[in-house]
Amino acid sequence: MSGLDRRAVFFAIAGIVCLVLVPVTPSDLQWVGFTMAVTFAVLAAASLLDDLSRSRSRRG
Amino acid sequence: MSTPLSLVVLVVAIALVFDFVNGFHDAANSIATVVATRVLTPVQAVIWAAFWNFAAFLVLPLKVANEIAKIIDASAVSIGLVFAGLAGAIFWNVLTARLGLPSSSSHALIGGLLGAGLAKAGPDVVNWEKIKRTAVFIVYSPLVGLALGFVLVVGVMWIVHRMTAKRKVERTFRGLQLVSAAAFSLGHGANDAQKTMGIIAVLLIGANRLDPGVLESADGLPLWIVLSCHGAIALGTMFGGWKIVKTMGNKLTRLQPMGGVCAESAAAMTLFFTSYKGIPVSTTHTITGAIVGVGSANRLSAVRWNVASQVVWAWVLTIPGSAAVAALTYGVVAVLS
């Protein structure tokens, strides 16, 4: 597994942690958990795409 | 019946010493980058950070102080309870420092109050909603700092890599370090000094020397409490900075201005948000999260994972540990009094 793959996994885990915390977060602050989960999901996807494009350019 | 003034003054003094030590420990977070990159001399840097620590009360509301003061029901608060809470937090910090275990002064303080409150009057006097709010942000605050740090540094790198005048870029970031260090010190002063304000407020309410109604407004605390807490943390930062100056040359030689600006800005934004919402968080954990975010933009192996894992252990251990010590201390206080 390359470094950037690991970064995507790391961000995905951070997003899951935020999502798991949402039900125990006071209702007025639950949006923080949702926003963080979405942010980390986007960062995980972006890291994965970045890794794929770098792998392709290395092969090409 | 009012508690003797001498006892009240003694416990207020202990709270201010706790605040001073907090500033002393956290000085490195505020001035490390500006000193390492020689933007400011060590003397200028500690004065800069201490000034913004102190000035925080002019900028951010006192919601964190109110939050801390409401953790334990005012009817159950006594000078013995507050003393036990402070003693629990201080003892836990000293113990973990000696054993080389991670800790957080902020969480130790909350755990101390919680433990002393439980020992005195059981779970009914604890405001569990406030504890829950604090507990979830133990995890959220470093993660918010991490995400903001990553996004900021990637955005800045994207803008900067197109620029050809590298010297101008470096000069710009050296200047921006002053702003980001000031912003972080402001956030640190606001969130951490207010924790001690909350402790002093709850102590005075318990001793019948302050009307509980002051906690209903975001700026209701007496000015002397506000100024003394900001003064203590600012002094702690100044003295802590002197200690750091000695080790700075060896430990922090490879700091880059751009990464420092992004990490401090991300942490400052997180602290502004939490202070504005009245959520007590660990400033050290927040800046650690932001530094991990900035480091992971290069490669994941650039992150010092042993430091990151220490933060996770601190999440788990600090509140239960300090609560247990405070509960024991309260038991001793109750037997002796």
Side-chain angles (χ1 to χ4, degrees):
Chain A
M1 192 186 265
S2 72
L4 285 170
D5 274 329
R6 278 186 305 188
R7 186 167 64 189
V9 172
F10 173 69
F11 284 148
I13 292 170
I16 291 166
V17 168
C18 291
L19 209 55
V20 167
L21 282 176
V22 169
V24 292
T25 304
S27 54
D28 62 321
L29 291 165
Q30 284 186 344
W31 64 270
V32 176
F34 280 122
T35 308
M36 291 312 298
V38 171
T39 304
F40 278 117
V42 171
L43 291 179
S47 278
L48 203 61
L49 290 173
D50 183 42
D51 185 45
L52 284 174
S53 72
R54 280 171 196 258
S55 307
R56 276 187 192 170
S57 65
R58 272 199 296 270
R59 279 201 301 270
Chain B
M1 195 181 79
S2 285
T3 312
L5 184 63
S6 55
L7 268 181
V8 175
V9 171
L10 177 71
V11 181
V12 168
I14 295 172
L16 290 175
V17 168
F18 185 86
D19 203 21
F20 175 87
V21 173
N22 190 333
F24 189 92
H25 279 157
D26 290 356
N29 298 337
S30 306
I31 68 162
T33 58
V34 277
V35 174
T37 53
R38 298 178 195 277
V39 172
L40 291 178
T41 66
V43 177
Q44 290 168 332
V46 288
I47 293 170
W48 184 248
F51 171 76
W52 291 105
N53 270 174
F54 187 77
F57 78 96
L58 296 169
V59 182
L60 289 156
L62 303 177
K63 289 181 180 175
V64 174
N66 290 357
E67 197 83 358
I68 294 284
K70 288 175 183 170
I71 283 177
I72 303 293
D73 192 279
S75 62
V77 174
S78 63
I79 194 157
L81 185 149
V82 177
F83 173 76
L86 274 171
I90 292 168
F91 184 82
W92 181 256
N93 277 348
V94 172
L95 181 76
T96 49
R98 294 212 122 208
L99 296 175
L101 294 169
S103 188
S104 155
S105 302
S106 309
H107 299 154
L109 200 59
I110 292 160
L113 265 188
L114 175 67
L118 284 173
K120 186 185 178 192
D124 290 346
V125 296
V126 178
N127 188 335
W128 292 105
E129 210 41 45
K130 304 278 181 210
I131 295 289
K132 204 164 82 175
R133 216 169 138 87
T134 304
V136 291
F137 269 84
I138 287 175
V139 183
Y140 279 144
S141 65
L143 290 178
V144 172
L146 190 153
L148 281 173
F150 182 84
V151 170
L152 272 179
V153 81
V154 167
V156 166
M157 283 196 304
W158 190 74
I159 294 166
V160 163
H161 94 279
R162 289 151 198 269
M163 296 180 177
T164 48
K166 298 293 175 199
R167 193 170 287 177
K168 191 180 170 194
V169 169
E170 198 189 319
R171 210 169 43 237
T172 305
F173 277 99
R174 284 169 68 85
L176 283 175
Q177 275 193 291
L178 284 178
V179 181
S180 63
F184 180 77
S185 299
L186 202 70
H188 172 225
N191 209 292
D192 277 7
Q194 286 193 37
K195 286 161 195 148
T196 313
M197 284 178 217
I199 295 288
I200 294 175
V202 81
L203 163 71
L204 295 176
I205 290 168
N208 292 324
R209 291 178 185 276
L210 189 66
D211 177 12
V214 297
L215 301 179
E216 298 312 315
S217 106
D219 54 359
L221 289 181
L223 190 62
W224 73 265
I225 299 180
V226 177
L227 292 181
S228 59
C229 289
H230 279 291
I233 203 165
L235 276 175
T237 298
M238 285 189 76
F239 282 90
W242 289 114
K243 187 183 156 214
I244 288 151
V245 168
K246 292 179 184 170
T247 55
M248 185 67 77
N250 298 327
K251 287 187 178 174
L252 298 169
T253 50
R254 291 292 299 161
L255 283 174
Q256 301 296 322
M258 190 175 76
V261 167
C262 293
E264 283 175 346
S265 303
M269 283 188 243
T270 311
L271 292 176
F272 288 166
F273 169 74
T274 51
S275 300
Y276 186 74
K277 284 285 180 184
I279 305 161
V281 296
S282 165
T283 50
T284 306
H285 291 185
T286 306
I287 187 85
T288 304
I291 289 168
V292 169
V294 169
S296 62
N298 295 321
R299 60 187 203 284
L300 218 53
S301 58
V303 175
R304 292 173 63 196
W305 288 106
N306 57 333
V307 178
S309 64
Q310 281 185 351
V311 171
V312 175
W313 275 111
W315 290 352
V316 178
L317 290 174
T318 304
I319 288 187
S322 56
V325 177
L328 279 174
T329 310
Y330 185 79
V332 174
V333 169
V335 168
L336 293 177
S337 59

